[in-house]
Amino acid sequence: GQNIDQPTEMTATEGAIVQINCTYQTSGFNGLFWYQQHAGEAPTFLSYNVLDGLEEKGRFSSFLSRSKGYSYLLLKELQMKDSASYLCAVSYGYNTDKLIFGTGTRLQVFP
Amino acid sequence: AAGVIQSPRHLIKEKRETATLKCYPIPRHDTVYWYQQGPGQDPQFLISFYEKMQSDKGSIPDRFSAQQFSDYHSELNMSSLELGDSALYFCASSSPTGGSYEQYFGPGTRLTVT
């Protein structure tokens, strides 16, 4: 079966750093995505990890350990607008990179 | 930069009616994915196309069909609509052959079945 786990909710303070963890067990693995989604809107691409290690992109960084089935998204210098759901998704498949999503982590940033 | 375009953005249909959702991928993206997101749920993969051929199929009901056209736009056809079909339908595109595996999502079509 396919299983992707993330914490349901997290809270943090403006200007702080927050780490959102994701563990996965899937029948295949091509890569791991992180998306940001505001309620009722489309998921916005944040990062894509294929190899083990850390990918840094501005205030956002994403880490992957394929052997451990583990990833995290690190958000630095939090801003109020970062309040959203963060979706961890694994792409898998032979002829395609269909995504299977975790249930998402709702992050609330307080002043 | 050009993004994925979906139309219509909102659609209201009655039970047993049909609906057609359209998706225009990012230029030069050859792969299209359709996802369904119910209220409070994560997106669920429905179907994907690569170079106008179906490349994979997920939890798509038999009442639904889809295709990708020569200009790479895709349409999702939904028949005999049920109340449970009310959801956000997202289209995403990527270009694996171009080395771009990132999937970019369109704004979605909100389908309400009454």
Side-chain angles (χ1 to χ4, degrees):
Chain A
Q2 322 287 10
N3 196 42
I4 300 178
D5 286 320
Q6 304 176 233
T8 304
E9 291 190 358
M10 298 183 71
T11 60
T13 307
E14 200 173 13
I17 299 173
V18 70
Q19 178 174 312
I20 303 175
N21 296 322
C22 170
T23 58
Y24 63 91
Q25 286 180 302
T26 55
S27 58
F29 182 89
N30 294 338
L32 189 140
F33 289 81
W34 284 96
Y35 286 89
Q36 180 193 64
Q37 187 176 31
H38 289 96
E41 298 183 8
T44 301
F45 171 80
L46 293 178
S47 68
Y48 176 56
N49 292 68
V50 177
L51 302 175
D52 287 359
L54 187 68
E55 295 276 346
E56 297 187 80
K57 191 183 292 185
R59 294 190 300 115
F60 296 85
S61 302
S62 57
F63 172 83
L64 175 67
S65 169
R66 295 182 63 157
S67 62
K68 295 182 180 178
Y70 168 70
S71 173
Y72 68 73
L73 179 70
L74 194 70
L75 293 80
K76 305 175 188 174
E77 300 169 17
L78 281 173
Q79 302 174 8
M80 297 294 290
K81 68 178 182 179
D82 296 330
S83 294
S85 288
Y86 290 86
L87 307 177
C88 172
V90 170
S91 74
Y92 71 107
Y94 291 107
N95 299 319
T96 185
D97 286 308
K98 59 189 173 188
L99 297 179
I100 178 168
F101 286 85
T103 50
T105 299
R106 183 183 296 182
L107 173 67
Q108 284 190 289
V109 180
F110 293 99
Chain B
V4 177
I5 297 172
Q6 291 186 248
S7 67
R9 294 292 308 277
H10 301 272
L11 191 59
I12 300 175
K13 290 285 186 178
E14 294 187 355
K15 278 181 8 180
R16 292 180 288 279
E17 285 192 318
T18 62
T20 298
L21 280 54
K22 297 184 179 182
C23 168
Y24 297 86
I26 292 172
R28 290 180 294 281
H29 278 197
D30 50 22
T31 304
V32 166
Y33 307 81
W34 285 97
Y35 295 89
Q36 177 192 57
Q37 186 172 28
Q41 298 179 359
D42 53 285
Q44 296 290 318
F45 171 73
L46 292 177
I47 195 167
S48 63
F49 292 88
Y50 166 68
E51 282 291 341
K52 295 150 278 184
M53 300 287 289
Q54 180 182 308
S55 54
D56 206 342
K57 199 171 181 180
S59 50
I60 183 170
D62 292 340
R63 300 178 288 108
F64 295 5
S65 65
Q67 57 183 324
Q68 186 179 33
F69 295 86
S70 57
D71 64 351
Y72 294 101
H73 94 272
S74 178
E75 295 184 3
L76 178 65
N77 299 293
M78 310 160 73
S79 62
S80 303
L81 286 169
E82 301 173 357
L83 295 178
D85 296 329
S86 295
L88 267 170
Y89 289 83
F90 291 109
C91 168
S93 75
S94 68
S95 179
T97 51
S100 173
Y101 294 88
E102 297 90 340
Q103 289 188 34
Y104 293 94
F105 281 71
T109 294
R110 182 176 294 280
L111 173 66
T112 303
V113 181
T114 61

Short mmCIF file of all heavy atoms in Angstrom, two decimals, chain B residues 12-49:
data_model
loop_
_atom_site.label_atom_id
_atom_site.label_comp_id
_atom_site.label_asym_id
_atom_site.label_seq_id
_atom_site.Cartn_x
_atom_site.Cartn_y
_atom_site.Cartn_z
N ILE B 12 -21.55 24.54 -12.11
CA ILE B 12 -22.64 23.98 -11.31
C ILE B 12 -23.50 23.12 -12.22
O ILE B 12 -23.94 23.58 -13.28
CB ILE B 12 -23.50 25.09 -10.66
CG1 ILE B 12 -22.65 25.96 -9.74
CG2 ILE B 12 -24.66 24.47 -9.88
CD1 ILE B 12 -23.39 27.14 -9.14
N LYS B 13 -23.66 21.87 -11.83
CA LYS B 13 -24.44 20.92 -12.64
C LYS B 13 -25.42 20.19 -11.72
O LYS B 13 -25.25 20.12 -10.50
CB LYS B 13 -23.50 19.90 -13.29
CG LYS B 13 -22.63 20.47 -14.39
CD LYS B 13 -23.42 20.71 -15.65
CE LYS B 13 -22.52 21.16 -16.78
NZ LYS B 13 -23.29 21.35 -18.04
N GLU B 14 -26.43 19.61 -12.35
CA GLU B 14 -27.37 18.80 -11.59
C GLU B 14 -27.00 17.33 -11.73
O GLU B 14 -26.26 16.94 -12.65
CB GLU B 14 -28.79 19.06 -12.08
CG GLU B 14 -29.26 20.49 -11.80
CD GLU B 14 -30.73 20.68 -12.13
OE1 GLU B 14 -31.36 19.76 -12.66
OE2 GLU B 14 -31.23 21.79 -11.88
N LYS B 15 -27.52 16.54 -10.83
CA LYS B 15 -27.28 15.10 -10.88
C LYS B 15 -27.67 14.55 -12.24
O LYS B 15 -28.65 14.99 -12.85
CB LYS B 15 -28.09 14.40 -9.78
CG LYS B 15 -27.43 14.44 -8.43
CD LYS B 15 -28.17 13.75 -7.30
CE LYS B 15 -29.37 12.96 -7.65
NZ LYS B 15 -30.01 12.33 -6.48
N ARG B 16 -26.89 13.61 -12.70
CA ARG B 16 -27.09 12.91 -13.98
C ARG B 16 -26.73 13.74 -15.20
O ARG B 16 -26.82 13.23 -16.32
CB ARG B 16 -28.53 12.39 -14.10
CG ARG B 16 -28.83 11.26 -13.10
CD ARG B 16 -30.27 10.76 -13.24
NE ARG B 16 -31.23 11.72 -12.71
CZ ARG B 16 -31.53 11.85 -11.43
NH1 ARG B 16 -30.95 11.09 -10.52
NH2 ARG B 16 -32.41 12.73 -11.04
N GLU B 17 -26.32 14.99 -15.00
CA GLU B 17 -25.87 15.78 -16.14
C GLU B 17 -24.42 15.41 -16.50
O GLU B 17 -23.79 14.60 -15.83
CB GLU B 17 -25.97 17.27 -15.82
CG GLU B 17 -27.40 17.80 -15.85
CD GLU B 17 -27.44 19.32 -15.83
OE1 GLU B 17 -26.65 19.92 -15.06
OE2 GLU B 17 -28.27 19.90 -16.56
N THR B 18 -23.92 16.03 -17.57
CA THR B 18 -22.54 15.82 -17.98
C THR B 18 -21.76 17.13 -17.84
O THR B 18 -22.36 18.22 -17.84
CB THR B 18 -22.46 15.35 -19.44
OG1 THR B 18 -23.01 16.36 -20.28
CG2 THR B 18 -23.20 14.04 -19.64
N ALA B 19 -20.45 17.00 -17.73
CA ALA B 19 -19.59 18.18 -17.60
C ALA B 19 -18.29 17.92 -18.35
O ALA B 19 -17.83 16.77 -18.44
CB ALA B 19 -19.29 18.47 -16.14
N THR B 20 -17.73 18.97 -18.92
CA THR B 20 -16.44 18.88 -19.59
C THR B 20 -15.52 19.93 -19.01
O THR B 20 -15.83 21.13 -19.04
CB THR B 20 -16.58 19.08 -21.10
OG1 THR B 20 -17.39 18.05 -21.65
CG2 THR B 20 -15.21 19.05 -21.77
N LEU B 21 -14.39 19.48 -18.51
CA LEU B 21 -13.38 20.38 -17.95
C LEU B 21 -12.19 20.42 -18.89
O LEU B 21 -11.79 19.38 -19.43
CB LEU B 21 -12.92 19.87 -16.57
CG LEU B 21 -13.80 20.15 -15.35
CD1 LEU B 21 -15.23 19.69 -15.55
CD2 LEU B 21 -13.17 19.52 -14.13
N LYS B 22 -11.65 21.62 -19.07
CA LYS B 22 -10.54 21.78 -20.00
C LYS B 22 -9.26 22.21 -19.30
O LYS B 22 -9.31 22.94 -18.31
CB LYS B 22 -10.91 22.78 -21.10
CG LYS B 22 -12.07 22.33 -21.96
CD LYS B 22 -12.35 23.30 -23.09
CE LYS B 22 -13.51 22.80 -23.94
NZ LYS B 22 -13.78 23.68 -25.10
N CYS B 23 -8.15 21.78 -19.85
CA CYS B 23 -6.84 22.10 -19.28
C CYS B 23 -5.87 22.43 -20.40
O CYS B 23 -5.74 21.69 -21.38
CB CYS B 23 -6.31 20.89 -18.49
SG CYS B 23 -4.58 21.01 -18.03
N TYR B 24 -5.19 23.55 -20.26
CA TYR B 24 -4.17 23.97 -21.22
C TYR B 24 -2.84 24.01 -20.49
O TYR B 24 -2.62 24.86 -19.63
CB TYR B 24 -4.53 25.34 -21.81
CG TYR B 24 -5.82 25.31 -22.58
CD1 TYR B 24 -7.05 25.47 -21.93
CD2 TYR B 24 -5.83 25.08 -23.95
CE1 TYR B 24 -8.24 25.42 -22.63
CE2 TYR B 24 -7.03 25.02 -24.66
CZ TYR B 24 -8.23 25.18 -23.99
OH TYR B 24 -9.41 25.12 -24.68
N PRO B 25 -1.94 23.07 -20.81
CA PRO B 25 -0.68 22.98 -20.05
C PRO B 25 0.26 24.14 -20.35
O PRO B 25 0.04 24.90 -21.30
CB PRO B 25 -0.09 21.65 -20.53
CG PRO B 25 -0.66 21.46 -21.90
CD PRO B 25 -2.05 22.05 -21.85
N ILE B 26 1.29 24.23 -19.57
CA ILE B 26 2.33 25.22 -19.82
C ILE B 26 2.95 24.91 -21.19
O ILE B 26 3.17 23.74 -21.51
CB ILE B 26 3.40 25.15 -18.70
CG1 ILE B 26 2.78 25.64 -17.39
CG2 ILE B 26 4.64 25.95 -19.06
CD1 ILE B 26 3.67 25.44 -16.18
N PRO B 27 3.21 25.93 -21.99
CA PRO B 27 3.80 25.68 -23.31
C PRO B 27 5.04 24.80 -23.25
O PRO B 27 5.88 24.94 -22.35
CB PRO B 27 4.15 27.10 -23.80
CG PRO B 27 3.15 27.96 -23.13
CD PRO B 27 2.93 27.36 -21.78
N ARG B 28 5.10 23.84 -24.15
CA ARG B 28 6.19 22.86 -24.28
C ARG B 28 6.14 21.77 -23.22
O ARG B 28 7.03 20.94 -23.18
CB ARG B 28 7.57 23.55 -24.31
CG ARG B 28 7.80 24.34 -25.59
CD ARG B 28 9.17 25.01 -25.59
NE ARG B 28 9.27 26.04 -24.57
CZ ARG B 28 8.77 27.26 -24.70
NH1 ARG B 28 8.10 27.60 -25.78
NH2 ARG B 28 8.91 28.15 -23.73
N HIS B 29 5.12 21.77 -22.39
CA HIS B 29 4.92 20.64 -21.47
C HIS B 29 4.10 19.59 -22.21
O HIS B 29 3.05 19.89 -22.77
CB HIS B 29 4.18 21.09 -20.20
CG HIS B 29 5.07 21.70 -19.19
ND1 HIS B 29 4.69 21.86 -17.86
CD2 HIS B 29 6.33 22.19 -19.28
CE1 HIS B 29 5.68 22.41 -17.20
NE2 HIS B 29 6.69 22.63 -18.03
N ASP B 30 4.61 18.34 -22.19
CA ASP B 30 3.97 17.29 -22.96
C ASP B 30 3.17 16.31 -22.10
O ASP B 30 2.57 15.38 -22.62
CB ASP B 30 5.02 16.52 -23.76
CG ASP B 30 6.20 16.06 -22.90
OD1 ASP B 30 6.04 15.96 -21.66
OD2 ASP B 30 7.29 15.82 -23.47
N THR B 31 3.19 16.50 -20.80
CA THR B 31 2.52 15.57 -19.89
C THR B 31 1.48 16.31 -19.06
O THR B 31 1.76 17.38 -18.51
CB THR B 31 3.54 14.88 -18.96
OG1 THR B 31 4.53 14.24 -19.76
CG2 THR B 31 2.86 13.84 -18.09
N VAL B 32 0.29 15.74 -18.99
CA VAL B 32 -0.81 16.34 -18.25
C VAL B 32 -1.34 15.33 -17.23
O VAL B 32 -1.46 14.14 -17.53
CB VAL B 32 -1.94 16.76 -19.22
CG1 VAL B 32 -3.21 17.07 -18.45
CG2 VAL B 32 -1.52 17.97 -20.04
N TYR B 33 -1.65 15.81 -16.04
CA TYR B 33 -2.21 14.99 -14.98
C TYR B 33 -3.51 15.63 -14.51
O TYR B 33 -3.61 16.85 -14.43
CB TYR B 33 -1.26 14.93 -13.78
CG TYR B 33 0.15 14.50 -14.09
CD1 TYR B 33 1.08 15.40 -14.59
CD2 TYR B 33 0.57 13.19 -13.86
CE1 TYR B 33 2.38 15.02 -14.87
CE2 TYR B 33 1.87 12.80 -14.13
CZ TYR B 33 2.77 13.71 -14.64
OH TYR B 33 4.05 13.33 -14.91
N TRP B 34 -4.47 14.79 -14.16
CA TRP B 34 -5.73 15.27 -13.57
C TRP B 34 -5.82 14.73 -12.14
O TRP B 34 -5.57 13.55 -11.88
CB TRP B 34 -6.94 14.78 -14.36
CG TRP B 34 -7.15 15.49 -15.66
CD1 TRP B 34 -6.76 15.09 -16.90
CD2 TRP B 34 -7.85 16.73 -15.84
NE1 TRP B 34 -7.16 16.00 -17.84
CE2 TRP B 34 -7.84 17.02 -17.22
CE3 TRP B 34 -8.50 17.62 -14.98
CZ2 TRP B 34 -8.43 18.17 -17.77
CZ3 TRP B 34 -9.10 18.74 -15.51
CH2 TRP B 34 -9.06 19.02 -16.89
N TYR B 35 -6.21 15.63 -11.22
CA TYR B 35 -6.40 15.27 -9.82
C TYR B 35 -7.75 15.78 -9.35
O TYR B 35 -8.24 16.82 -9.80
CB TYR B 35 -5.31 15.90 -8.94
CG TYR B 35 -3.91 15.40 -9.20
CD1 TYR B 35 -3.10 16.01 -10.16
CD2 TYR B 35 -3.40 14.32 -8.50
CE1 TYR B 35 -1.82 15.55 -10.41
CE2 TYR B 35 -2.11 13.85 -8.74
CZ TYR B 35 -1.34 14.48 -9.70
OH TYR B 35 -0.07 14.01 -9.94
N GLN B 36 -8.33 15.05 -8.41
CA GLN B 36 -9.60 15.44 -7.79
C GLN B 36 -9.34 15.68 -6.31
O GLN B 36 -8.71 14.85 -5.64
CB GLN B 36 -10.62 14.31 -7.96
CG GLN B 36 -11.96 14.56 -7.29
CD GLN B 36 -12.80 13.29 -7.25
OE1 GLN B 36 -12.37 12.27 -6.70
NE2 GLN B 36 -13.99 13.32 -7.81
N GLN B 37 -9.82 16.82 -5.81
CA GLN B 37 -9.65 17.11 -4.39
C GLN B 37 -10.99 17.42 -3.76
O GLN B 37 -11.61 18.46 -4.04
CB GLN B 37 -8.69 18.29 -4.18
CG GLN B 37 -8.36 18.53 -2.70
CD GLN B 37 -7.26 19.58 -2.52
OE1 GLN B 37 -7.09 20.47 -3.34
NE2 GLN B 37 -6.52 19.47 -1.42
N GLY B 38 -11.47 16.50 -2.92
CA GLY B 38 -12.71 16.70 -2.20
C GLY B 38 -12.49 17.63 -1.02
O GLY B 38 -11.35 17.88 -0.62
N PRO B 39 -13.55 18.12 -0.43
CA PRO B 39 -13.44 19.06 0.71
C PRO B 39 -12.63 18.46 1.85
O PRO B 39 -12.92 17.35 2.31
CB PRO B 39 -14.89 19.28 1.12
CG PRO B 39 -15.70 18.93 -0.09
CD PRO B 39 -14.95 17.86 -0.80
N GLY B 40 -11.60 19.16 2.27
CA GLY B 40 -10.79 18.71 3.39
C GLY B 40 -9.92 17.50 3.11
O GLY B 40 -9.37 16.90 4.04
N GLN B 41 -9.80 17.15 1.84
CA GLN B 41 -9.00 15.97 1.49
C GLN B 41 -7.78 16.36 0.67
O GLN B 41 -7.68 17.48 0.17
CB GLN B 41 -9.86 14.98 0.71
CG GLN B 41 -11.05 14.46 1.50
CD GLN B 41 -11.89 13.49 0.69
OE1 GLN B 41 -11.60 13.22 -0.47
NE2 GLN B 41 -12.93 12.96 1.31
N ASP B 42 -6.86 15.44 0.52
CA ASP B 42 -5.71 15.68 -0.33
C ASP B 42 -6.08 15.33 -1.78
O ASP B 42 -7.02 14.57 -2.01
CB ASP B 42 -4.51 14.85 0.13
CG ASP B 42 -4.84 13.38 0.27
OD1 ASP B 42 -5.52 13.02 1.24
OD2 ASP B 42 -4.40 12.61 -0.61
N PRO B 43 -5.36 15.89 -2.73
CA PRO B 43 -5.64 15.58 -4.14
C PRO B 43 -5.43 14.10 -4.44
O PRO B 43 -4.48 13.49 -3.95
CB PRO B 43 -4.63 16.45 -4.89
CG PRO B 43 -4.23 17.52 -3.93
CD PRO B 43 -4.28 16.89 -2.59
N GLN B 44 -6.35 13.55 -5.24
CA GLN B 44 -6.26 12.15 -5.65
C GLN B 44 -6.02 12.09 -7.16
O GLN B 44 -6.74 12.72 -7.94
CB GLN B 44 -7.57 11.42 -5.31
CG GLN B 44 -7.86 11.33 -3.82
CD GLN B 44 -6.92 10.41 -3.09
OE1 GLN B 44 -6.60 9.32 -3.56
NE2 GLN B 44 -6.46 10.84 -1.92
N PHE B 45 -5.04 11.31 -7.56
CA PHE B 45 -4.69 11.16 -8.97
C PHE B 45 -5.81 10.46 -9.73
O PHE B 45 -6.31 9.41 -9.30
CB PHE B 45 -3.39 10.38 -9.10
CG PHE B 45 -3.04 9.98 -10.51
CD1 PHE B 45 -2.59 10.92 -11.42
CD2 PHE B 45 -3.16 8.66 -10.91
CE1 PHE B 45 -2.29 10.55 -12.72
CE2 PHE B 45 -2.84 8.28 -12.19
CZ PHE B 45 -2.41 9.22 -13.11
N LEU B 46 -6.19 11.03 -10.87
CA LEU B 46 -7.23 10.41 -11.70
C LEU B 46 -6.64 9.74 -12.94
O LEU B 46 -6.85 8.56 -13.19
CB LEU B 46 -8.25 11.48 -12.15
CG LEU B 46 -9.13 12.09 -11.06
CD1 LEU B 46 -10.04 13.16 -11.67
CD2 LEU B 46 -9.96 11.03 -10.36
N ILE B 47 -5.90 10.52 -13.74
CA ILE B 47 -5.43 10.01 -15.02
C ILE B 47 -4.33 10.93 -15.53
O ILE B 47 -4.27 12.10 -15.14
CB ILE B 47 -6.60 9.91 -16.02
CG1 ILE B 47 -6.23 9.05 -17.23
CG2 ILE B 47 -7.09 11.30 -16.44
CD1 ILE B 47 -7.45 8.67 -18.09
N SER B 48 -3.46 10.39 -16.39
CA SER B 48 -2.40 11.22 -16.97
C SER B 48 -2.20 10.87 -18.43
O SER B 48 -2.55 9.77 -18.89
CB SER B 48 -1.08 11.03 -16.21
OG SER B 48 -0.62 9.70 -16.30
N PHE B 49 -1.63 11.84 -19.15
CA PHE B 49 -1.36 11.68 -20.58
C PHE B 49 0.04 12.17 -20.88
O PHE B 49 0.51 13.17 -20.34
CB PHE B 49 -2.36 12.50 -21.41
CG PHE B 49 -3.75 11.97 -21.33
CD1 PHE B 49 -4.60 12.40 -20.32
CD2 PHE B 49 -4.21 11.03 -22.23
CE1 PHE B 49 -5.88 11.91 -20.22
CE2 PHE B 49 -5.50 10.53 -22.14
CZ PHE B 49 -6.33 10.97 -21.12
#
